[in-house]
Amino acid sequence: MELSATNVESQWLGASTENTGSYAPSTTPMGGKGPQKLREIPQSVTVITDQRLQDQQLRNMDQVMNQMTGVTRKEAWAKNTYVSRGFEINDVRYEGGATSSMLDSSRYEDLAQFDSVGLLRGADGLYGAGEPGGVINFSYKRPLAQPQVKTLTSAGSWDNYRGEFDVTGPLAMDGRLRGRYVGVLEDKHNFVDYDHKKRNLNYVSFEFDASDDTLLFFGASHQRDDLNGMRNTLGRFSDGSDLGLSRSTNLTTPWSWNDIENTTVFARLDQQLSDNWKAVANVRHNINRNAQNVVELENPIDPATGTGGSWWNNQHDFKTTNTTLDLNLQGSFDAFGHMHDLTVGVDGSKLKSRGGSYWNFLYDDLIFSPTLPDRFPTAGHLMLLCRQWLPAEPGLRTGTERRSAARAASGVGLYLQRQREQAQRRCPLQHSYPAPPVQTVDRLPLPAPAGTEPWRRGDRPERAQRIGHRGAFGR
């Protein structure tokens, strides 16, 4: 009896998870700077792969963080936060680079441009992420050597429409130059009144084999989110009981808006020095613009009379730039009868934010039969609040003070990691930490206009703490 030949084929699962069909990566840069197997990382790590992103249709950060082990999502008035081990997650990395703070640019990232999203729970202090909640890592989709085109369209309840287009393949020089483009259009409403969101994402990336030992990966992305009639939180009766409002109730107006624009450029260079050593340079620059003009009906309601509600208008305009740089050398060597892995490098981060924000009191109203405010004029050039006071626009009520703030933070650190077989020891040479925030506050004392109502300190002190100022404006 003669048996025919048997071919055994296998696919190695690397750091890139696309087209592997796997829910777990073979390696990840989390917990270090080079690729490591999950079982070699002495911390708790979860990686949501491309296959899982597609199977569960995880399109945004809220959806993916709901699937992360040990993470609680806290939904707030303006933005959501994520909690792990009792602490907020405030640190984020891209392609395993330097650590930066999680800003609106990270919270609103569309995941169509990423291959995977990972979370390391607990402090990763050796590489600058010393927050006890953990650090999130985004891995970009990379160009492929073979042509590939993917399209995705979806439609759902409440006019929820989304389309994705993903094309990649070799471009020139016998496949040494490869490219990729991802485009997303999204337009959706919600069961909540007035809630309407639009999103536009364009992502492009290139890989270039400059030589057999040199790989350059670079790209850019631009994402814009237009949030109209943005959802507002519901109040309570003054005794803490439920108002009994419909779940579709939205105590805002159809014209309230929040625009978020996010532009990123990035590059990574991998230089193979020998069979066991390579050098890596990773740089990323992000520009985020966040502006809004919204109104809300808030304050506790008297259960006997139904009074107590007040309309407030909030406007802000902030521009934030964030630059990160990471340089490291990775390799292994044989000494004293053992194989040792060594990583040494330096990273830095620079953050600048400038803008202005304030609150306008409009008028008191009945929450069960409200009279929606007319469109409130947007204050022009709120960015100038950091340098001068704005002239009042026609229809804009004058206030007793306005406040603005500019802040900057930067940090640089060295790190070294040595690993011997299964025993790992980390030796921080210099811990990376942000510089203290620098705030500049300009105030212009103005006489209170006739009929103005002063800021009532008993009203929502937590709001005053978050925003930093509540204006006193005439009715």
Side-chain angles (χ1 to χ4, degrees), residues 176-358:
R176 291 171 53 200
L177 178 62
R178 302 169 293 278
R180 185 164 202 157
Y181 170 78
V182 177
V184 173
L185 288 176
E186 186 175 86
D187 189 330
K188 65 178 182 179
H189 291 75
N190 200 285
F191 68 88
V192 177
D193 296 338
Y194 318 134
D195 192 353
H196 183 201
K197 298 181 176 66
K198 290 184 177 181
R199 169 170 292 179
N200 186 315
L201 166 69
N202 291 279
Y203 165 79
V204 60
S205 63
F206 301 92
E207 267 192 352
F208 176 52
D209 297 324
S211 68
D212 292 340
D213 299 323
T214 306
L215 174 63
L216 177 62
F217 172 53
F218 61 99
S221 68
H222 179 268
Q223 179 178 321
R224 180 179 175 86
D225 292 271
D226 297 327
L227 315 178
N228 296 315
M230 55 183 298
R231 188 184 308 184
N232 188 24
T233 54
L234 298 180
R236 311 283 289 187
F237 281 119
S238 55
D239 60 4
S241 59
D242 183 23
L243 293 174
L245 298 172
S246 168
R247 72 178 190 135
S248 64
T249 302
N250 192 4
L251 299 178
T252 184
T253 61
W255 57 261
S256 294
W257 58 268
N258 180 202
D259 292 343
I260 302 172
E261 192 169 7
N262 195 36
T263 304
T264 302
V265 292
F266 61 89
R268 176 184 171 117
L269 178 66
D270 290 70
Q271 178 64 52
Q272 197 71 35
L273 304 176
S274 65
D275 292 340
N276 298 325
W277 289 91
K278 75 171 182 178
V280 178
N282 195 334
V283 62
R284 180 177 181 271
H285 180 68
N286 173 261
I287 303 173
N288 177 259
R289 185 73 178 267
N290 190 325
Q292 76 173 21
N293 183 359
V294 301
V295 296
E296 64 171 0
L297 183 60
E298 59 174 51
N299 291 340
I301 306 301
D302 189 321
T305 64
T307 60
S310 299
W311 284 104
W312 290 85
N313 168 243
N314 172 242
Q315 300 188 34
H316 73 231
D317 191 351
F318 287 96
K319 180 180 179 181
T320 303
T321 60
N322 187 14
T323 304
T324 59
L325 173 66
D326 181 80
L327 305 173
N328 64 77
L329 180 67
Q330 312 168 19
S332 60
F333 60 94
D334 189 5
F336 309 108
H338 295 280
M339 182 62 68
H340 302 261
D341 294 330
L342 177 67
T343 301
V344 59
V346 58
D347 63 12
S349 176
K350 185 175 183 180
L351 171 70
K352 289 184 178 180
S353 182
R354 181 178 292 275
S357 174
Y358 65 87

Side-chain angles (χ1 to χ4, degrees), residues 12-17 20 24-28:
W12 180 75
L13 301 179
S16 177
T17 66
T20 63
S26 177
T27 61
T28 176

Side-chain angles (χ1 to χ4, degrees), residues 83-142:
V83 178
S84 173
R85 301 184 176 181
F87 297 92
E88 288 189 8
I89 302 173
N90 295 316
D91 291 326
V92 63
R93 288 183 181 160
Y94 291 82
E95 289 291 317
T99 303
S100 59
S101 299
M102 177 176 284
L103 305 171
D104 290 339
S105 56
S106 300
R107 299 179 195 276
Y108 285 91
E109 294 274 24
D110 192 288
L111 302 186
Q113 58 189 311
F114 298 110
D115 173 82
S116 63
V117 181
L119 171 66
L120 184 147
R121 285 171 287 277
D124 189 18
L126 178 63
Y127 302 106
E131 295 290 336
V135 57
I136 299 172
N137 182 76
F138 294 92
S139 296
Y140 285 107
K141 285 184 175 178
R142 297 210 171 196

Side-chain angles (χ1 to χ4, degrees), residues 133-168:
V135 57
I136 299 172
N137 182 76
F138 294 92
S139 296
Y140 285 107
K141 285 184 175 178
R142 297 210 171 196
L144 302 180
Q146 301 297 326
Q148 173 182 282
V149 178
K150 291 183 179 180
T151 60
L152 172 67
T153 57
S154 62
S157 302
W158 301 292
D159 297 327
N160 185 350
Y161 304 105
R162 179 182 173 94
E164 297 181 16
F165 179 72
D166 185 346
V167 57
T168 182

Side-chain angles (χ1 to χ4, degrees), residues 441-457:
V441 178
D442 298 326
R443 296 189 178 185
L444 179 62
L446 298 174
T452 58
E453 181 177 341
W455 168 30
R456 298 187 296 268
R457 292 186 178 273

